[in-house]
Amino acid sequence: MGEVQTVGHSEVFHKLSGACHTDVEPVGRWFRAWWYHHQRNGALSGEGLSVAESGSQSDEEVECSTVEIEDDVEYLRSLDPKEWKDQDHYAVLGLKKVRIIATEDDIKRAYRQKVLRHHPDKRKAAGEEVRADDDYFTCITKAYETLSVASKRRAYDSVDSEFDDDVPSSNAANKSRFFEVFSPVIAANARWSVRSNVPLLGDVNSSRDHVENFYDFWYNFESWREFSYLDEEEKDKGQDREERRWIEKQNKAERARRKKEEMSRLRSLVDAAYACDPRILRFKEEDKQKKLDDKKAKQDAVRARKEEEERKRREEEENKLRIKRQAEEAARARQNAAKREKENAKRALKREREQLHKYGKQFNYFTGDEAELVKRMADLDRLCELLTIDELDKLNKKMAVVSLDCVDQGRTLFDEAVDELNRRIDEEKQQHLGGGLAPGSAASNGGSKKKGGSNQWSPEELNLLIKAVNLFPAGTNQRWEVVANFINQHHGGNRGSKEVLAQAKELQSGDFSRSALKEAANKAAYNKFEKESKAGPAASEESIPSERYETPAEQLGINLTPWTADEQRLLEQALKTYPASLSDRWERIAEAIPNRSKKECMKRYKELVELVRAKKSAQAAVAPPKK
Amino acid sequence: MSAYFGLHVGRTNSCVSVCKDGKSDVVANDAGDRVTPSIVSFSSEEIAVGLPAKQGLFRNMSSSVVKCKELLSWNGDEEELAKLRSTSVCPVIIKNKKLFYEVEVDEKKKQFSPEDILVHIYRKLYDIAIHHSNAVDESMKAVVSVPLSFTSEQRQAVWKAAEKARFNVLQVISEPAASLLAYGVGQSNKHETLCCLVYRCGGATLDVSVVSVRGGMYSVVSSLHRKQGGDKFTALVANYLADEFQNKWKLDPRESKRSMFKLMGAAEECKHVLSTLNTAHCFVESLHEGVDLSANVSRARIDMLITQLFPEYIGPISEALTQAGLTAADVHKVIVCGGTAKMPRLQQAIQEALPNSELLSNLTADEVFAVGCCNQAAVIGEPWDTVCQYKQVSVPAISKAISVRCGDEEESQTTTVFCAQTPLSSRFSLPVPLGKKHNVAIVDVFEATELVAKLTLKNLPEAPSVAANFHLSSDGSLHVTLTEKITGVTTAATIGTSVAA
């Protein structure tokens, strides 16, 4: 030391102008050192580890992890080198706390430190007594030998006594405290994984992916744990190859057994976790719910579709029904309208008729004569019956113009009308009667006309013809010759067989209106009728349409007791008198006609109706060419 | 000790290296080559990767995939897509905004994403690696390198691909960082402050990056990417060979695509041989119309041929430097990597362009990245940043350089202790020369040019040994101690930061 004390002095003038940041590539040892230092400071700053303290260490220590290496001399001294296999290697090296987390570097450092402190030479120098043969330093060496070689260290780590092999059971208590119970166990067991990035349990809010990934990983857990450290005997101790082999075999079996146990332990752990996991429960429920929802949605969809179909169907039906109803209504309306029109027409007709009657009455039927009166009245009735509404209307109008005084004028009108009517009826009659003749006369059927014209068949001849035809039925040899002979013999004419045949055909054709026979019959009947019903009040042969008179003649050959004209008239009267609405109509009709029963009347009526219909259709068929 | 692997998949070639017991070496593949072509070809029987795929390339063009890394780094640019399509031998299609290779296998079209192809390449590398280590239970820890420009997603895709190939990926690092690590720049001495230029010229691309090394950490200052690579050189050589052939046989192999393919292969091989030897014999059986090509090519010939292209290849260096705000004189070290950069003439040209620098080329250029990767793997030892979120990490650093002046005279030299942007938490110590007065030691601390502190030790004993220790703590403050070693007398000053830590 000098005479003057060395004096240090320092002064600071300014502060530094702050830090900036620079981007660096995350590579290299210096970056790694900085990173770990930074991470640790960041993590531990809250725990009171002074930055300055760690900062004041040497660079090397900043760079490396600051794992504290303990030095438990008592423990070291208590060690027996012969029992090295049972010692806690980490404790020997002073890494009791870090254990499996210790890096290779830590172990190396710890060993170096131990060597420096506990080497026998060093202790001898310090004056400590050292037993040469079984010094505890051997344990340190053994510990380092074990931990520095990766495979040996793995073997030791596998059977680390500090590791808790317990597996929580899946009971209700664990279920309720699932995360508290299982999280640490899972985290502890994660160390055995061959693969890094072991997924941990997470918490109740972990995503489904995470949970699924977790169980996927843990159910396929690959453990590096192996139990060679627990081998009963060292393979190398064997005397010869045979023995070594045997030991090896034994060890192998034992290892396999333990490994199996370990696997089942892990499996049971994961099973227990799975059984207790509230998230799994939740997911299952969610799945179930989802399935149900899906099902329900499907059903709903089906139902909705069905309903929709049903609705459409109903709509369609309703539509159809409505259309039908509309159609029906329309039809009904049409019917009604038609009915109404008809009724109107009827009413109008009635009105006109009444009007005409009224005029008739007004003008006292245009006559003062009693006898004339009846005829007039009959005429009037006929007018009323037969004139169409228009004609009646016309007549009535004409009548209306005629004043009460000039009866003559009215009578002229009335007569005109009656004449007109009569003329028309006659025309019609002519038409009907001449229907057969007209073509005969007008058409070019010259042959028949000549024959028919030159050789008129007399009624006697006709009667003979009918008789002969009946006498010689079809099938008779040379029938028509025989018939012609028969007629010629009885009547004395000169009819040829052909003539006879034509006439018979004509008769058979059924159109009696054409035959002269009918006309003759008509005349006869009329005369008879006129003779018999001279006193008949209003009935007139003209009041009944001519067609009606054809019927009796028609029926001649059919009924055994043919209807007489009288009877026919009575029937017609009765039919008119008793309307169809009466229940006992036919009894009454039958009563009205003497000699005829109800049955006969009905039969007759039916025949008449048939006749009329047939005739009408015949008329209709002939009508178009005529018009 | 476990082995750590470094994987590099380039556009043209891939490489795998191993770091065991602190020593790194490249693993040769089953053919004995240290690099494996990054080509995958599909056939009905098998998927061929590497050399077999390359040899069969001209036979089954439509079922081979080359340069999948190009597609992997595609960023959605239409123009680039057109270029990619032109370079790819099999059709490239877009599906869901992602690119796929449409490979014809057994007359059926199959689609492969670039990632799928990458998996095949990594699997090949895995086979090579596992062959080397002979240990199946190894955890196959590996670090993978990717271009600097790769995004986090792309890095992640690469990570996943390597993981699918059963590698235990520790980290994905950028190529420039890998190249620096390969030479251990700044790793042994933390206080090196350097400027490194990484010149990477591969088969198809050229990258020039300027990396500054401070406090053992690398930060990329600037980087350039060019779509030009060794293919151009190969084309030149092939052209030359074709000329030779034509002169000799009056046959033009350029007429046939197949001949050209063969010739290109021969030219490439020739180029590689000439990187190490002075002459190369080039032989192609039945190159064109049944005539063989047999020619001797000397290195001088090749050098003469390729020199015309050099401006194109050297130019980016100065460009990158300008971008970084530096000059050629500022570069301390140059690292050449990539297959093309193996060429001695090119290395020479680079050296000429950067006269003050030290050219690091004792590693084979196309193996640099892989070696760097395995070094990094050995350093970290366990997976780090598995989601590739840290492309780069922002570390706190001092904003201005800190320097000291020892001695009281104004004219005495100032020494820089910490350069600007040195990451925090750093130490430095230097012996303090004494001034004219032998019993006084004075240290002035400057930040940039401003004096911030002054430390003095007076009344020193005879023959003192004084050291100044600087500790830049992680909160940004500077702690300076001046110690006289014999007496142990110390004076200290703590210079805080104006910004609260």
Side-chain angles (χ1 to χ4, degrees), chain B residues 107 148 185 205 214 236 279 281 288 291 293-294 304 331 340 346 349 351 354 358 377 400-401 423 432 450 465 493:
Chain B
E107 291 170 359
L148 190 68
V185 179
T205 51
R214 292 187 208 93
L236 273 180
T279 53
H281 183 243
H288 192 57
V291 182
L293 166 82
S294 178
M304 199 184 76
V331 180
T340 309
L346 185 61
Q351 178 74 77
L354 303 161
E358 179 197 353
K400 287 175 186 169
V432 178
E450 201 176 353
S465 151

Side-chain angles (χ1 to χ4, degrees), chain B residues 85-263:
Chain B
R85 283 193 164 141
S86 65
T87 55
S88 172
V89 288
C90 72
V92 176
I93 55 162
I94 301 183
K95 210 163 80 178
N96 303 335
K97 287 191 173 176
K98 287 181 89 180
L99 296 181
F100 284 91
Y101 285 109
E102 204 169 57
V103 181
E104 218 171 277
V105 184
D106 267 348
E107 291 170 359
K108 263 183 253 164
K109 299 223 173 209
K110 280 192 182 172
Q111 286 164 2
F112 292 97
S113 67
E115 286 84 359
D116 295 335
I117 305 297
L118 201 58
V119 170
H120 288 301
I121 296 170
Y122 277 129
R123 195 155 286 162
K124 176 74 182 172
L125 296 183
Y126 180 84
D127 290 343
I128 296 169
I130 208 100
H131 220 265
H132 165 84
S133 60
N134 279 327
V136 184
D137 65 327
E138 288 279 6
S139 53
M140 304 304 284
K141 290 175 179 171
V143 167
V144 184
S145 69
V146 294
L148 190 68
S149 57
F150 267 33
T151 63
S152 286
E153 291 81 46
Q154 286 165 337
R155 281 166 197 238
Q156 237 170 314
V158 171
W159 184 302
K160 277 183 187 143
E163 201 136 74
K164 264 190 196 168
R166 298 199 291 276
F167 276 112
N168 185 5
V169 184
L170 304 182
Q171 199 187 348
V172 175
I173 63 172
S174 68
E175 283 169 358
S179 62
L180 261 71
L181 278 173
Y183 288 101
V185 179
Q187 294 293 295
S188 50
N189 180 8
K190 196 181 174 185
H191 300 290
E192 265 181 320
T193 299
L194 294 167
C195 177
C196 269
L197 187 130
V198 180
Y199 185 91
R200 194 201 74 84
C201 190
T205 51
L206 170 70
D207 283 288
V208 180
S209 324
V210 180
V211 185
S212 77
V213 184
R214 292 187 208 93
M217 303 216 201
Y218 308 141
S219 49
V220 177
V221 184
S222 70
S223 147
L224 271 183
H225 181 78
R226 288 271 188 282
K227 295 266 178 223
Q228 60 192 43
D231 293 352
K232 282 194 178 176
F233 294 117
T234 311
L236 273 180
V237 176
N239 206 24
Y240 163 73
L241 288 172
D243 282 342
E244 288 283 291
F245 189 79
Q246 200 177 6
N247 283 343
K248 202 168 177 184
W249 302 103
K250 308 283 177 250
L251 289 168
D252 192 0
R254 274 161 289 210
E255 283 168 2
S256 151
K257 208 176 172 184
R258 197 184 164 100
S259 300
M260 251 348 245
F261 234 94
K262 282 183 177 178
L263 197 61

Side-chain angles (χ1 to χ4, degrees), chain B residues 3 17 81 156 250 252 262 377 403 438 447 481:
Chain B
S17 69
L81 181 68
Q156 237 170 314
K250 308 283 177 250
D252 192 0
K262 282 183 177 178
S403 55
H438 282 268
E447 190 193 26
T481 50

Side-chain angles (χ1 to χ4, degrees), chain A residues 519-554:
Chain A
E519 231 172 312
N522 266 351
K523 260 178 201 150
Y526 182 65
N527 292 338
K528 203 178 172 188
F529 168 70
E530 263 195 322
K531 264 184 240 159
E532 274 174 4
S533 62
K534 268 242 166 89
S540 123
E541 65 278 285
E542 271 112 345
S543 71
I544 293 151
S546 58
E547 299 94 283
R548 313 258 181 207
Y549 295 101
E550 299 156 19
T551 46
E554 216 178 311

Side-chain angles (χ1 to χ4, degrees), chain B residues 232-444:
Chain B
K232 282 194 178 176
F233 294 117
T234 311
L236 273 180
V237 176
N239 206 24
Y240 163 73
L241 288 172
D243 282 342
E244 288 283 291
F245 189 79
Q246 200 177 6
N247 283 343
K248 202 168 177 184
W249 302 103
K250 308 283 177 250
L251 289 168
D252 192 0
R254 274 161 289 210
E255 283 168 2
S256 151
K257 208 176 172 184
R258 197 184 164 100
S259 300
M260 251 348 245
F261 234 94
K262 282 183 177 178
L263 197 61
M264 284 296 265
E268 202 181 323
E269 204 174 310
C270 173
K271 196 181 72 176
H272 284 299
V273 171
L274 286 176
S275 296
T276 46
L277 299 175
N278 272 324
T279 53
H281 183 243
C282 197
F283 178 79
V284 181
E285 194 176 289
S286 179
L287 173 66
H288 192 57
E289 293 182 9
V291 182
D292 298 351
L293 166 82
S294 178
N296 268 318
V297 185
S298 69
R299 185 186 276 183
R301 169 72 67 187
I302 289 284
D303 288 349
M304 199 184 76
L305 276 172
I306 60 175
T307 322
Q308 49 171 312
L309 282 175
F310 278 2
E312 255 181 77
Y313 285 79
I314 300 301
I317 294 177
S318 55
E319 242 178 275
L321 284 172
T322 326
Q323 202 181 317
L326 299 167
T327 60
D330 295 327
V331 180
H332 300 96
K333 291 188 181 194
V334 181
I335 299 171
V336 286
C337 32
T340 309
K342 278 201 291 189
M343 286 191 289
R345 185 71 187 83
L346 185 61
Q347 288 185 0
Q348 195 189 331
I350 294 163
Q351 178 74 77
E352 278 162 12
L354 303 161
N356 290 354
S357 62
E358 179 197 353
L359 184 79
L360 299 175
S361 60
N362 48 344
L363 287 171
T364 316
D366 49 4
E367 298 159 5
V368 170
F369 293 141
V371 173
C373 285
C374 74
N375 285 348
Q376 170 68 6
V379 166
I380 60 169
E382 58 197 54
W384 187 82
D385 181 24
T386 51
V387 291
C388 305
Q389 57 172 327
Y390 298 110
K391 231 175 112 177
Q392 276 160 352
V393 177
S394 180
V395 294
I398 52 169
S399 49
K400 287 175 186 169
I402 289 167
S403 55
V404 289
R405 190 177 64 197
C406 302
D408 50 353
E409 292 89 6
E410 288 295 318
E411 66 271 19
S412 61
Q413 280 282 306
T414 57
T415 318
T416 305
V417 184
F418 301 117
C419 312
Q421 280 155 21
T422 301
L424 287 184
S425 191
S426 183
R427 283 156 202 286
F428 192 66
S429 66
L430 80 165
V432 178
L434 296 178
K436 276 173 188 165
K437 289 183 231 163
H438 282 268
N439 59 348
V440 180
I442 302 165
V443 172
D444 295 333

